Amino acid sequence: MEIYQFSQRQTIIMAILVLYLGKYLTKNIKFLQDYNIPDAVAGGVLASLFFGLFFAVFKWQIEFTLNVRDALLIVFFTTIGLSSKLKTLLQGGKPLLILLITAVVYLILQNLAGLGVAKVMGLDLPIGLIAGSVSLSGGHGTAIAWASIFRDNYGIAKASEIGVASATFGLVLGGIIGGPVAKWLITRNRLRANNQDQDLTVGIKQSQRNVNIDYNTMLHSILVIGLTIGLGNQINYWVTPLGLKLPDFVPCLLAGIILTNTVPLVLKRFPWPANTPSLALISDVSLGLFLSMSLMSLQLWTLIDLAGPIAILLLVQFSLSIIYTVLLVFPVMGKNYHASVVCAGYLGLTLGATPTAIANMTAVTEHFGASPQAFIIVPLVGAFFIDLSNAFIIQQFLNFLT
């Protein structure tokens, strides 16, 4: 087997080409366009399949340098924070609490489903947890973080492989199903955005023309993003001694929220970039490249040995997520347009990760209209509250199994 390592420059070029491929596919394949499949998901999945076939035929393994991917994630969540007005945050207070409670309940159901399938299939019960909230709601980071505990304390030798496999397929499934479910809810209930002309939080509307993006607004946006990330890093430095360990992008999101609701009140003449097309474009490009890199770098051939059991577990989790979202999340969130966008994001959260959730919501809003409230509550639940709740719930389930 030969390994070909792409440099950072080559990785970025490949990610752009994959994103171009996704945009071409969603533009020319009616199904992908009609059901709001994100460009990065369409292109990234096809690219990962191509590299997998390349490995199977030639035994050549392509590896990418992914340092810039993590930086893009931080930039993306910073732009989300900078777009978060206090008025919208206050409006999102009650929906945020409702979604949080709903999401915590689902973490329990997700693990119960995993344990049930594991028992029926004759697998070690902890595998059901790994293919439950550990890897699906938790994502790759949580799966890797808990792998040693499952391996050392519960005898699951391939805990890391099972967790990564589940998180990988969950990421793809979450990106594929969010848009179609949201479209079905919108058309079935004849829903419309409250303000069809409102600017999007991420991206530009498909029908929008003559968008005003100029040198100055782009330069202001880049400057403010850089300053906000600096404050976010400082916040992380302050809270770490308190025992509060946060992913790097979370304090940057919080820093964006703080600055966008204070600085414009003090420096009234400074052209703050919140809710400008320039900031929305930076946000969209960062998210698209992040997901393209994440999906094109999936090494699918490492998951073949686990394909059977993982496929059955994920099929059950996939079905449960859709049923729960349609029958519970949509009604409790208000059965309105914002609720349908939240559902698109929520499916990304329960099967993939927060960036997948945002990509789903972006694809839906670019087609149907803005939903700023959804872009506040879903990232806050997915990027902060769920990780804390999930760690506690996983530990309680493990205590029950011992």
Side-chain angles (χ1 to χ4, degrees):
M1 181 182 69
E2 295 188 59
I3 298 177
Y4 290 85
Q5 180 72 46
F6 277 41
S7 67
Q8 183 166 289
R9 177 184 61 84
Q10 293 168 327
T11 299
I12 294 172
I13 292 172
M14 182 58 67
I16 294 172
L17 293 176
V18 167
L19 197 52
Y20 272 134
L21 173 63
K23 289 185 176 295
Y24 176 82
L25 292 174
T26 55
K27 182 179 179 180
N28 292 279
I29 299 177
K30 194 172 186 301
F31 170 81
L32 298 177
Q33 190 175 85
D34 288 348
Y35 288 95
N36 308 296
I37 304 301
D39 299 333
V41 173
V45 169
L46 190 60
S48 65
L49 291 173
F50 171 78
F51 289 128
L53 181 64
F54 203 70
F55 176 83
V57 175
F58 300 105
K59 298 301 179 185
W60 291 350
Q61 178 174 319
I62 306 296
E63 294 187 353
F64 298 97
T65 302
L66 299 173
N67 295 346
V68 69
R69 181 188 64 174
D70 299 330
L72 288 168
L73 183 66
I74 292 173
V75 170
F76 167 70
F77 276 105
T78 301
T79 64
I80 294 296
L82 289 171
S83 301
S84 305
K85 295 291 187 177
L86 183 60
K87 179 180 178 181
T88 307
L89 286 170
L90 293 175
Q91 290 174 346
K94 184 177 178 181
L96 174 64
L97 181 60
I98 292 172
L99 185 62
L100 175 59
I101 295 172
T102 306
V104 170
V105 171
Y106 186 74
L107 292 175
I108 299 171
L109 292 177
Q110 199 168 43
N111 286 329
L112 290 174
L115 290 174
V117 174
K119 185 173 181 61
V120 170
M121 294 177 62
L123 302 172
D124 292 328
L125 291 183
I127 292 178
L129 294 182
I130 299 174
S133 74
V134 174
S135 60
L136 296 180
S137 291
H140 287 83
T142 302
I144 293 170
W146 283 85
S148 60
I149 295 175
F150 281 94
R151 183 184 63 247
D152 298 338
N153 298 348
Y154 298 91
I156 309 299
K158 291 189 174 183
S160 180
E161 291 85 350
I162 296 171
V164 170
S166 299
T168 297
F169 286 117
L171 187 69
V172 174
L173 292 173
I176 290 174
I177 196 59
V181 169
K183 177 182 171 63
W184 180 78
L185 290 171
I186 291 169
T187 54
R188 182 174 183 269
N189 296 279
R190 300 178 182 178
L191 304 174
R192 294 187 64 188
N194 295 338
N195 185 352
Q196 295 291 322
D197 298 324
Q198 187 173 3
D199 290 332
L200 302 183
T201 304
V202 180
I204 308 296
K205 296 176 189 174
Q206 294 177 3
S207 59
Q208 194 168 347
R209 297 292 182 268
N210 301 319
V211 179
N212 183 24
I213 296 177
D214 57 33
Y215 180 89
N216 286 330
T217 58
M218 186 62 72
L219 197 62
H220 292 323
S221 298
I222 295 172
L223 172 63
V224 170
I225 288 171
L227 294 173
T228 305
I229 292 174
L231 176 59
N233 292 335
Q234 189 63 40
I235 291 174
N236 215 8
Y237 175 78
W238 287 331
V239 301
T240 298
L242 303 177
L244 189 58
K245 188 176 181 180
L246 300 173
D248 289 338
F249 63 84
V250 174
C252 292
L253 171 69
L254 296 176
I257 294 173
I258 293 169
L259 291 182
T260 207
N261 288 285
T262 54
V263 174
L265 300 177
V266 179
L267 303 177
K268 295 183 179 180
R269 292 192 177 185
F270 183 82
W272 196 252
N275 300 318
T276 62
S278 295
L279 191 67
L281 179 61
I282 294 172
S283 183
D284 201 8
V285 171
S286 300
L287 176 62
L289 290 177
F290 170 82
L291 281 176
S292 294
M293 290 181 188
S294 297
L295 290 170
M296 74 185 192
S297 62
L298 298 178
Q299 296 181 341
L300 298 178
W301 58 88
T302 64
L303 312 177
I304 293 176
D305 294 341
L306 304 167
I310 294 299
I312 296 173
L313 279 163
L314 288 180
L315 179 61
V316 173
Q317 297 286 16
F318 180 70
S319 302
L320 178 63
S321 181
I322 295 173
I323 293 170
Y324 188 82
T325 300
V326 172
L327 297 184
L328 184 64
V329 176
F330 181 64
V332 300
M333 294 305 298
K335 289 187 177 181
N336 52 26
Y337 174 72
H338 296 300
S340 68
V341 178
V342 167
C343 286
Y346 187 73
L347 283 164
L349 286 183
T350 58
L351 292 169
T354 305
T356 310
I358 303 296
N360 288 348
M361 296 193 298
T362 300
V364 172
T365 54
E366 285 179 351
H367 188 85
F368 293 101
S371 178
Q373 187 183 82
F375 279 87
I376 294 297
I377 63 177
V378 171
L380 284 176
V381 169
F384 183 64
F385 294 113
I386 281 298
D387 283 341
L388 297 176
S389 303
N390 198 18
F392 175 78
I393 289 172
I394 292 169
Q395 189 59 60
Q396 297 310 305
F397 270 93
L398 289 176
N399 293 341
F400 175 77
L401 293 179
T402 54

